[in-house]
Structure formats: structure tokens, C-alpha cells
């Protein structure tokens, strides 16, 4: 009898917490090159196809740039770049990510409702759709390059600012937003991220 009661309690716990657990997971559809994970339990492993990214995971590329293909979206890592997945919530349609260091391109198409909210120092970039490039250096200076798409910036005062398409922004630590001339260089990392061989994973790009 005691065993049956314990089993019922376990089942009830699973049923209660299953929706919240499921809401904090995103499935990796495919991957190019290696990205390593350190999760909240201290486990380290390499992401493979059909892996699940969870809230609290730290993701880091190696000496080679890498691409994670999610459902109708992607994250491109330059070499030795890292992020933290703060939260994944399908109900509010948000993936909150902190840029730890390095260079990234985030992409989301118009079909997918789940949006990237990307924390860079005291700023948050909302990737509504399209591509956006983000860079954070060791001295905490950050850069943003927009392409064709829709992206917003929330500054430390929580003011929402729409970023112009095809523009380059540079931030020094403790300095407000400055839009600069588009002297952005299209590196091999970016060319790899736009590789046409992978368009099949990104419908309506």
C-alpha cells in the first residue's frame, strides 16, 4: 500500500511539473561543428542533432565557428564564443539569452513566434525576425549589426528603440547608443552563417 501511494505521488508530481519543464526546452534540429554545454547540474556534453537546450545551460563554441539550427531559427557562433540560456518560455514566446563573450548571428523567420531576447551588458536586443549580428569583447564593448529584418533595443531605462535595418551600432561601456557608419566587415564567420547549403533548415528566410 505504501509503495502504491509513493508511486501515485511521483506520478502527480510529474503531471504537475511536466508543462513547466516542457516549456523550458528547445530542440536542436541540426548542428554544424561543435558546441559544448555546461548545464545547471554541472554536466558537460557536446550538442548533437535532436539534443535539447534547457534553461540555465551555458553554450560554448570551440576553435571553430558553429551553427545551431532550431525550428525556423538559428544561432551562429564565432570561434570561442559563449552564451547562457536564461529562460525558455513558450507561453510568453521568449528565449532569454545572455551574451557572455564572442560574436554571434541570431536568425528568426516570421513564421516562428518564439523570439530571441539577447542581453548585452545593460541592453536587451529583441530579434523579432531576420538576422542580427552581436559582438561582446573582454572589455565589455559591444557591437550590433542589423540586416534586413526587425530588431529592437531595450536600454537600461527599459526604453524600446527600433534598430534601423542594415545599420551598425557600437557601444562602449557606460556609453549610450551610438549609430556609426556601416564599416562592418563581412568575415568568413558570416559567410558560413549564410551558407546556402543550409537554407533547407530555414524556410522563408
Amino acid at each position: 500500500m505504501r509503495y502504491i501511494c509513493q508511486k501515485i505521488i511521483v506520478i502527480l508530481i510529474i503531471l504537475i511539473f511536466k508543462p513547466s519543464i516542457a516549456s523550458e526546452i528547445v530542440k536542436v534540429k541540426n548542428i554544424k561543428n561543435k558546441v559544448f554545454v555546461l548545464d545547471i547540474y554541472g554536466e558537460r556534453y557536446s550538442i548533437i542533432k535532436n539534443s535539447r537546450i534547457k534553461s540555465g545551460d551555458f553554450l560554448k563554441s570551440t576553435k571553430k565557428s558553429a551553427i545551431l539550427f532550431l525550428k525556423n531559427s538559428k544561432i551562429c557562433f564565432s570561434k570561442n564564443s559563449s552564451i547562457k540560456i536564461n529562460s525558455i518560455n513558450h507561453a510568453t514566446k521568449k528565449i532569454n539569452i545572455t551574451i557572455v563573450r564572442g560574436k554571434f548571428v541570431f536568425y528568426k523567420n516570421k513564421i516562428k513566434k518564439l523570439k530571441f531576447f539577447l542581453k548585452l551588458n545593460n541592453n536587451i536586443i529583441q530579434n523579432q525576425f531576420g538576422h542580427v549580428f552581436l559582438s561582446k569583447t573582454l572589455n565589455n564593448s559591444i557591437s550590433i549589426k542589423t540586416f534586413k529584418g526587425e530588431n529592437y533595443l531595450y536600454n537600461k531605462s527599459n526604453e524600446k528603440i527600433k534598430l534601423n535595418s542594415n545599420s551598425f551600432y557600437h557601444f562602449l561601456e557606460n556609453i549610450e547608443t551610438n549609430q556609426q557608419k556601416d564599416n562592418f566587415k563581412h568575415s568568413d564567420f558570416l559567410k558560413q552563417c549564410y551558407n546556402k547549403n543550409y537554407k533547407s533548415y530555414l524556410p522563408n528566410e
Side-chain angles (χ1 to χ4, degrees), residues 81-101:
S81 298
S82 55
I83 58 175
K84 181 187 178 184
I85 309 297
N86 296 318
S87 64
I88 301 168
N89 194 316
H90 293 275
T92 58
K93 303 177 178 61
K94 290 183 179 181
I95 303 180
N96 291 297
I97 296 174
T98 294
I99 307 300
V100 179
R101 62 167 293 186

Side-chain angles (χ1 to χ4, degrees), residues 14 25 32 86 189:
I14 291 171
I25 291 172
K32 180 177 181 181
N86 296 318
F189 156 61

Side-chain angles (χ1 to χ4, degrees), residues 76-126:
C76 303
F77 295 70
S78 185
K79 61 181 182 180
N80 300 316
S81 298
S82 55
I83 58 175
K84 181 187 178 184
I85 309 297
N86 296 318
S87 64
I88 301 168
N89 194 316
H90 293 275
T92 58
K93 303 177 178 61
K94 290 183 179 181
I95 303 180
N96 291 297
I97 296 174
T98 294
I99 307 300
V100 179
R101 62 167 293 186
K103 299 176 181 178
F104 302 87
V105 172
F106 291 84
Y107 167 80
K108 180 195 161 300
N109 72 7
K110 291 183 179 181
I111 296 174
K112 184 66 175 175
K113 295 181 179 179
L114 205 61
K115 304 176 184 67
F116 291 117
F117 284 76
L118 311 162
K119 186 175 182 181
L120 275 164
N121 295 347
N122 294 320
N123 303 287
I124 294 176
I125 311 302
Q126 177 186 339

Side-chain angles (χ1 to χ4, degrees), residues 31-35 60-69 75-80 103-105 189 192-193:
I31 183 169
K32 180 177 181 181
N33 294 335
K34 288 187 177 181
V35 173
K60 185 179 185 300
S61 60
T62 62
K63 293 181 180 180
K64 292 184 178 180
S65 55
I67 306 176
L68 291 184
F69 297 94
I75 305 174
C76 303
F77 295 70
S78 185
K79 61 181 182 180
N80 300 316
K103 299 176 181 178
F104 302 87
V105 172
F189 156 61
Q192 179 184 347
C193 191

